[in-house]
């Protein structure tokens, strides 16, 4: 059994959970066994399914490049990040998905485990407006198979994020 599985639920610490703790923001830890067998569907959908959570309430973190800077979009795992909407939300003319290697280097996390919290390099962050209808949303906690539940207002505040329509279905 790996060391990860020997830990008691709620004891894992990542830069994401440290940022929430240091800001005094309450959060809940959600853990599941990640499997790379069916990644065509995406990491976020796998997590929502294994945790039994509505995929509209589970959010993925994506890094985009505007040409001038990299920005973070946080959208439901059931949807897609609309690059035109994201660019408009940060005052850019265009945006495209960032290279995964750049996203890993600048966030400090691996693809499939990138959290909007505790990133190595601070980026402008935009959270899809649909998050605001929930008392708790689920975002990556900084590792594959490790998520945190947090109030979307608290997430906006700790990240200094903008809320805008950036998701499409």
């Amino acid at each position: 059994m790996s060391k990860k599985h020997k830990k008691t639920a709620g004891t894992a610490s990542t830069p994401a959970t440290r940022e929430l703790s240091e800001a005094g923001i309450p959060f809940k830890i959600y853990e599941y066994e990640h499997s790379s067998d069916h990644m065509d569907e995406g990491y976020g959908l796998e997590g929502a399914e294994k945790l039994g959570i509505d995929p509209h309430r589970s959010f993925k973190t994506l890094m985009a490049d505007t040409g001038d800077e990299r920005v973070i979009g946080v959208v439901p795992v059931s949807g897609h990040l609309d690059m035109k909407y994201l660019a408009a939300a940060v005052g850019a003319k265009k945006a495209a998905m960032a290279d995964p290697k750049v996203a890993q280097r600048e966030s400090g996390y691996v693809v499939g485990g990138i959290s909007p919290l505790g990133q190595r390099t601070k980026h402008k962050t935009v959270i899809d407006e649909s998050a605001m209808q929930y008392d708790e949303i689920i975002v990556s906690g900084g590792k594959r198979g490790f998520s945190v539940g947090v109030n979307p207002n608290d997430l906006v505040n700790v990240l200094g994020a903008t809320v805008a329509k950036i998701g499409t279905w």
Side-chain angles (χ1 to χ4, degrees), residues 6 85 115-116 134:
K6 290 181 183 175
Y85 291 161
S115 177
Y134 301 105

Side-chain angles (χ1 to χ4, degrees), residues 75-151:
V75 297
V77 300
S78 58
H80 303 283
L81 176 61
D82 185 294
M83 292 298 164
K84 288 182 183 179
Y85 291 161
L86 179 63
V90 297
K93 292 183 180 181
K94 63 180 180 172
M97 287 300 294
D99 180 285
K101 289 179 184 174
V102 171
Q104 290 184 145
R105 182 176 64 246
E106 290 189 9
S107 70
Y109 298 117
V110 297
V111 169
I114 295 177
S115 177
L117 297 152
Q119 292 198 5
R120 184 177 290 151
T121 304
K122 187 80 171 160
H123 297 92
K124 286 182 187 174
T125 301
V126 183
I127 299 172
D128 186 68
E129 66 186 9
S130 67
M132 306 316 288
Q133 67 184 303
Y134 301 105
D135 292 331
E136 178 191 66
I137 62 169
I138 311 304
V139 297
S140 175
K143 300 189 283 191
R144 294 175 186 158
F146 183 78
S147 299
V148 293
V150 64
N151 179 283

Side-chain angles (χ1 to χ4, degrees), residues 1-33:
M1 184 182 286
S2 76
K3 190 174 186 180
K4 173 182 169 188
H5 299 109
K6 290 181 183 175
K7 290 184 178 181
T8 310
T11 61
S13 178
T14 64
T17 59
R18 283 192 293 277
E19 182 173 1
L20 289 169
S21 293
E22 289 169 8
I25 294 173
F27 63 94
K28 183 176 177 184
I29 292 175
Y30 294 87
E31 294 180 282
Y32 62 92
E33 183 69 34

